């Protein structure tokens, strides 16, 4: 159960608590909540870490004992664990049906889905290694991502969304490493940065729209924040690469257009502080690289280092002060919006 108030409400709906007793029951639940909340946080943390370590242990066991295990033993072990995880999910989900009817969030049943997702990956890798299918590494992670998608949608939990995001990004990196190619006016060696930046930017917009529309299955704040972080890290890497004038045909205008779009949407449309802060500090990083690239050829190294240090300190301080004002402005706009509703 997530908290005592939810449990009290479930008992009230089941008729175990009368209406006149509800105020007292909610008061008692509120007083006992802090202690119970800490227990639940620690218990959930240990549960999810345990599932991750068991899954990692199985994979390491296969890697270490690959030559000593027979084909039948390998498949029996992985498929047996996969079946155990599936049965555990069914049993735990049945136990939690009254407390959490939709089965979303950090529940024991969804911990079983995490173990199931790990075993699916292990089974796919086992098939590829046993029968030497000749598939490229990116295909393994692409199929794993497709198999993981229904489990993530069923659980609606941040950790599983985070795992899916990591698998898709890894698929993109491995694909463009295996098949380097250029698209339009981007060089092949920077196109992977463009692809990762665009993909994660779209993912952030999807999660943001789901948050606005109150879609519970897409309630993944950690994954949402990480997606925009990955998008702007890749964009900053691209910008620094172009500021150093390493690329011949890839345009620096892509960085300017992308960062300007993120800035305008975050400042005036969505009013989100995190992408606004990230794009501002990205601009500081790229401009610092550009200044260093152009100044080291014509000025003394000591003077350039001093100027760049002063520039970074001044720009960071100025942006931090401005972001503090933006945070207050966004909070006020949010409160006014809730009051008008």
């Amino acid at each position: 159960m997530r908290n005592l108030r939810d449990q009290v409400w479930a008992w009230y709906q089941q008729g175990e608590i009368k209406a006149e007793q509800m105020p007292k029951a909610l008061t008692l639940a509120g007083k006992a909540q802090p202690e119970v909340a800490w227990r639940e946080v620690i218990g959930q943390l240990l549960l999810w870490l345990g599932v991750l370590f068991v899954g990692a242990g199985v994979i390491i066991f296969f890697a270490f004992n690959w030559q000593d295990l027979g084909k039948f033993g390998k498949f029996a072990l992985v498929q047996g664990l996969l079946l155990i995880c599936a049965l555990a999910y069914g049993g735990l989900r049945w136990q939690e049906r009254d407390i959490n009817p939709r089965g979303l969030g950090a529940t024991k049943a969804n911990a079983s889905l995490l173990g199931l997702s790990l075993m699916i990956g292990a089974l796919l890798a086992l098939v590829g290694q046993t029968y030497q299918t000749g598939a490229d590494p990116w295909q393994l992670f692409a199929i794993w991502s497709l198999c993981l998608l229904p489990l993530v949608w069923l659980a609606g939990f941040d950790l599983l969304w985070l795992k899916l995001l990591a698998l898709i990004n890894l698929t993109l990196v491995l694909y463009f490493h295996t098949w380097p190619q250029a698209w339009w006016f981007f060089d092949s060696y920077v196109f992977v940065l463009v692809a990762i930046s665009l993909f994660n930017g779209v993912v952030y917009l999807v999660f943001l729209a789901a948050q606005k529309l109150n879609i519970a299955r897409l309630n993944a704040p950690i994954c949402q924040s990480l997606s925009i972080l990955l998008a702007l890290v890749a964009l900053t890497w691209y910008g620094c690469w172009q500021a150093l004038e390493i690329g011949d045909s890839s345009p620096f205008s892509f960085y300017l257009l992308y960062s300007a779009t993120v800035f305008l949407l975050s400042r005036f449309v969505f009013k989100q502080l995190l992408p606004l802060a990230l794009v501002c500090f990205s601009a500081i990083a790229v401009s610092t690289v550009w200044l260093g690239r152009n100044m080291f050829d014509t000025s003394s190294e000591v003077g350039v280092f001093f100027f760049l240090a002063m520039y970074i300190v001044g720009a960071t301080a100025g942006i931090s002060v401005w972001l503090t004002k933006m945070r207050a402005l966004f909070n006020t706009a949010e409160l006014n919006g809730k009051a008008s509703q």
Side-chain angles (χ1 to χ4, degrees), residues 1-319:
M1 68 182 171
R2 290 173 294 177
N3 54 57
L4 285 179
R5 289 181 178 270
D6 291 344
Q7 183 63 62
V8 169
W9 181 252
W11 286 335
Y12 171 72
Q13 290 179 324
Q14 296 169 9
E16 298 180 8
I17 298 179
K18 298 180 180 179
E20 58 271 15
Q21 296 175 334
M22 279 295 291
K24 182 179 180 180
L26 290 174
T27 301
L28 294 175
K31 292 180 179 179
Q33 183 58 34
E35 180 181 354
V36 176
W38 275 109
R39 291 182 191 173
E40 289 192 359
V41 169
I42 296 174
Q44 290 289 345
L45 181 62
L46 293 176
L47 175 63
W48 291 90
L49 286 177
V51 172
L52 287 173
F53 288 153
V54 169
V58 171
I59 296 174
I60 294 174
F61 176 80
F62 272 108
F64 188 79
N65 299 281
W66 183 260
Q67 300 296 333
D68 299 329
L69 293 174
K71 184 185 301 183
F72 178 79
K74 296 173 184 176
F75 280 97
L77 179 59
V78 174
Q79 292 176 351
L81 291 173
L82 193 149
L83 180 61
I84 290 174
C85 291
L87 294 175
Y89 173 77
L92 292 172
R93 182 70 190 88
W94 178 259
Q95 294 179 3
E96 299 169 351
R97 66 188 185 281
D98 295 330
I99 301 173
N100 190 351
R102 302 183 64 183
L104 303 178
T107 65
K108 295 179 181 178
N110 290 338
S112 301
L113 288 183
L114 176 61
L116 183 62
S117 68
L118 292 172
M119 292 304 102
I120 289 175
L123 181 60
L124 292 173
L126 179 60
V127 171
Q129 289 293 325
T130 302
Y131 296 103
Q132 296 297 320
T133 58
D136 294 323
W138 70 267
Q139 294 177 326
L140 167 65
F141 293 100
I143 298 174
W144 192 1
S145 301
L146 290 175
C147 295
L148 185 59
L149 184 58
L151 301 182
V152 175
W153 183 259
L154 181 63
F157 181 52
D158 213 335
L159 183 58
L160 287 172
W161 280 115
L162 192 61
K163 181 180 178 182
L164 179 62
L165 180 67
L167 287 176
I168 297 177
N169 277 279
L170 184 58
T171 301
L172 289 174
V173 172
L174 292 176
Y175 175 79
F176 288 110
H177 179 73
T178 305
W179 303 101
Q181 54 185 290
W183 179 72
W184 201 1
F185 40 64
F186 294 104
D187 296 331
S188 59
Y189 50 83
V190 297
F191 183 62
V192 61
L193 299 175
V194 175
I196 291 176
S197 184
L198 291 175
F199 167 73
N200 287 281
V202 172
V203 170
Y204 175 77
L205 292 178
V206 170
F207 279 114
L208 185 60
Q211 181 183 1
K212 301 294 184 182
L213 297 174
N214 293 322
I215 301 177
R217 294 191 183 277
L218 290 173
N219 183 21
I222 298 177
C223 190
Q224 177 181 336
S225 301
L226 187 61
S227 62
I228 191 62
L229 176 62
L230 289 174
L232 291 179
V233 165
L235 181 67
T236 304
W237 192 350
Y238 174 89
C240 293
W241 194 274
Q242 297 308 117
L244 290 172
E245 299 180 358
I246 297 178
D248 296 328
S249 61
S250 297
F252 190 74
S253 57
F254 172 76
Y255 173 83
L256 298 176
L257 179 61
Y258 196 122
S259 57
T261 302
V262 173
F263 179 86
L264 293 175
L265 290 177
S266 303
R267 170 62 181 87
F268 298 104
V269 180
F270 302 124
K271 293 181 171 55
Q272 296 290 314
L273 188 64
L274 177 61
L276 188 62
L278 290 175
V279 76
C280 289
F281 288 114
S282 172
I284 294 175
V286 174
S287 60
T288 302
V289 172
W290 184 84
L291 288 172
R293 170 69 176 81
N294 289 276
M295 293 179 65
F296 270 113
D297 295 336
T298 57
S299 304
S300 64
E301 295 183 359
V302 176
V304 172
F305 276 118
F306 179 77
F307 174 79
L308 292 179
M310 291 296 98
Y311 171 74
I312 293 173
V313 172
T316 303
I319 289 296

